[in-house]
Each structure stands twice: as C-alpha cells, then as structure tokens.
Amino acid sequence: MNTQTTSPENTARILIINPNTNGNVTHSIRQLISSITPAGTITKVTSPAHGPYAIESEQHKKEATQHVLTLIEQHNTESFDGYIMACFDDIAISEARAITQAPVISLAEAGMRSAAASGNLFTVITTFEEAVPTIKKLSTAYGLSKRCHVVATGIGVSDTAAQTKQAEARLHEAIQEAIRLKSTAVVLGSGAFAGRATALQKRYGIKISDGFAEALDYTLNNLQLQKRA
C-alpha cells in the first residue's frame, strides 16, 4: 500500500484491482501505482486469491467478474472512495457500479478517453487477438470508434508481462505501425503493459499511456466533484 501523510478527513482511498491472479502483473501494477500516487491519496493494489491466471476467454471473464466482486465485498470495511479495474475490458464494471456509489473505472475507458481528447486518430495495442473485438465494442460504447484503431501483438498476457523476446518485438512493431498510420497517441491495452508507457514514449516521441494515471485522475476528479455537490 502507498500512503501519503495527510489528515484522515482529506485522504482519498483508492482500490486498484488486477482481475487475474498473475503475481507478476500485480507486482508491476503495484510498483507503477506507488510511483504515481499523489499526495493526499492512499492506494492499495490487490488481486483475487482465486480465478484465471490470464483472462483470455469469455469464461475467464465470467469467473474473474465473480472473484472481483467478492474481493470488493471483502474490502467493504476499509471504506474505499474509488475503484480502478486494472484491465483493458469492462470486467465487473457495471456490477461494481451497481453496488457502490464510489467512482469505478477501467483502464480501457480512462485510457481511450484520454487518448481521444485531441480529436485525432489513436491506436490501442493489446495482447491476444481475441481481445480486439471486445476493445472495438468498448470504443463504440464510448463513442470513439471512428478514431480508434485496435491491434493485437498476438502474444498472451503472461508472456507480455514477462517481456519475452517475441513479446517485445511484436510490441515495438505495433507502435511503429501506429506511427505509420499517423496515430497521435498509443494506448497500451492490457494490465500486462503496466509501467512501460514512460520509457516507450521517450523512445518513440509519441504520446503513450497505459491508462493507470488517467484512471487515477478520473477517480480523484470525481471525488472532488462529489465533495462540491
């Protein structure tokens, strides 16, 4: 958990959930969140004790949704002010919003809305091919489909998180293709890419995000709006 010293009444508490059980992914997310959590905020990164190691099918998604909801219920006593689903999907989003008044957002929505802010073409780079239709469907739901190009590296979540030689080669090829398509932003569409955006942005000179900072900003901004209401 990352804790900043502040008065309890002004402290925002955010729970970040990795819906799969891959410890490497959760560790990378925890390191990233620790580095970007602003003062006056407490963040906790967790993942279900049970469920799919990688969410790569509809059945995996259904299983993960139930485990995520159980996890939220288990953390009820900690009184979190917001929830971030650390995946590029809508896993447990609607269900979580139905059981809490706190802001709930996924990396997908936060990342894509931020990338679309310029009004130009942006590219989402995801992992396995089966994720592409889901992300396209999400972009349509957000009203962004006309400006959103979605590609997959063809590499699974586990190998992507492990940064295998093939996974890295496919990722860099995808970024280069996005640049050729004149995308003005790239969104890394998987929690397996956590912590990669800054270095890749410096290398390629194009806006590259993974949705984490954007999801934190969304959550904290919504909490401020709630306080003013």
Side-chain angles (χ1 to χ4, degrees):
M1 183 181 293
N2 182 71
T3 305
Q4 302 289 342
T5 303
T6 186
S7 58
E9 64 271 18
N10 294 322
T11 302
R13 298 172 57 84
I14 311 299
L15 185 66
I16 298 94
I17 300 173
N18 170 26
N20 66 51
T21 58
N22 186 322
N24 289 333
V25 173
T26 304
H27 177 70
S28 295
I29 293 171
R30 187 172 289 118
Q31 286 187 311
L32 173 61
I33 290 296
S34 179
S35 70
I36 65 175
T37 298
T41 304
I42 292 175
T43 50
K44 180 176 182 178
V45 177
T46 189
S47 62
H50 306 285
Y53 189 75
I55 302 170
E56 299 179 347
S57 69
E58 283 300 314
Q59 183 58 38
H60 289 159
K61 182 175 175 178
K62 290 178 181 178
E63 292 175 15
T65 295
Q66 293 307 311
H67 289 297
V68 166
L69 293 175
T70 297
L71 195 60
I72 291 174
E73 291 174 359
Q74 291 171 345
H75 285 80
N76 269 345
T77 58
E78 297 180 56
S79 301
F80 284 99
D81 301 298
Y83 299 88
I84 295 172
M85 300 301 165
C87 62
F88 223 81
D89 204 335
D90 59 354
I91 292 171
I93 293 294
S94 61
E95 293 88 348
R97 286 173 176 167
I99 62 175
T100 178
Q101 297 299 310
V104 179
I105 195 164
S106 67
L107 301 183
E109 183 170 1
M112 283 197 274
R113 289 196 184 284
S114 177
S118 68
N120 298 318
L121 177 70
F122 66 95
T123 293
V124 175
I125 299 173
T126 190
T127 51
F128 56 100
E129 294 287 349
E130 289 79 3
V132 173
T134 296
I135 295 174
K136 287 184 175 180
K137 183 179 178 180
L138 290 174
S139 73
T140 299
Y142 305 149
L144 305 175
S145 59
K146 292 183 179 179
R147 286 177 281 145
C148 179
H149 179 61
V150 185
V151 297
T153 61
I155 306 296
V157 171
S158 299
D159 283 349
T160 298
Q163 297 180 32
T164 65
K165 184 176 181 179
Q166 186 179 25
E168 289 298 284
R170 294 285 183 85
L171 171 60
H172 288 285
E173 288 170 5
I175 294 173
Q176 291 163 11
E177 178 62 18
I179 293 171
R180 285 193 290 271
L181 288 172
K182 301 190 183 302
S183 293
T184 60
V186 168
V187 185
L188 302 175
S190 170
F193 290 120
R196 306 295 309 281
T198 299
L200 291 170
Q201 180 168 295
K202 288 180 179 178
R203 175 170 178 172
Y204 288 103
I206 184 175
K207 179 182 178 182
I208 298 180
S209 67
D210 53 22
F212 284 96
E214 293 79 7
L216 263 179
D217 286 345
Y218 168 89
T219 305
L220 294 172
N221 288 339
N222 271 268
L223 290 175
Q224 287 297 321
L225 291 173
Q226 287 179 2
K227 289 179 180 179
R228 294 170 187 167

